[in-house]
Amino acid sequence: MLVKAKDGVKVPFENNPAQVIEQEAVSVVDSLYYRRLVQQGDLVIVENVAKTKTSGKVKTEKGAD
């Protein structure tokens, strides 16, 4: 699942809270933790990487599918 945090928000990774998701798209596992953050509005599912404000790089969390 490709997600990014909404503007001004930093979201901790599920299994590594010292590392955070910011406004750059990252690939994470499709888990209940991330689904809840999407439902709350803190994370946004990115349908197309080209729509994000990134340099074309996509960070991945270790073990992400």
Side-chain angles (χ1 to χ4, degrees):
M1 177 162 78
L2 198 58
V3 296
K4 68 177 185 173
K6 74 177 184 178
D7 290 340
V9 174
K10 293 181 181 180
V11 177
F13 278 95
E14 182 174 20
N15 296 314
N16 188 358
Q19 197 175 27
V20 295
I21 301 169
E22 297 185 60
Q23 287 67 47
E24 186 173 320
V26 295
S27 179
V28 296
V29 294
D30 189 354
S31 69
L32 183 59
Y33 173 78
Y34 294 116
R35 288 285 173 184
R36 284 184 181 162
L37 289 166
V38 168
Q39 187 177 24
Q40 291 172 350
D42 290 335
L43 284 181
V44 177
I45 296 176
V46 178
E47 297 296 327
N48 185 347
V49 178
K51 291 182 181 177
T52 64
K53 296 179 182 178
T54 65
S55 60
K57 297 179 184 175
V58 177
K59 293 182 181 178
T60 59
E61 177 183 8
K62 288 184 179 179
D65 292 332

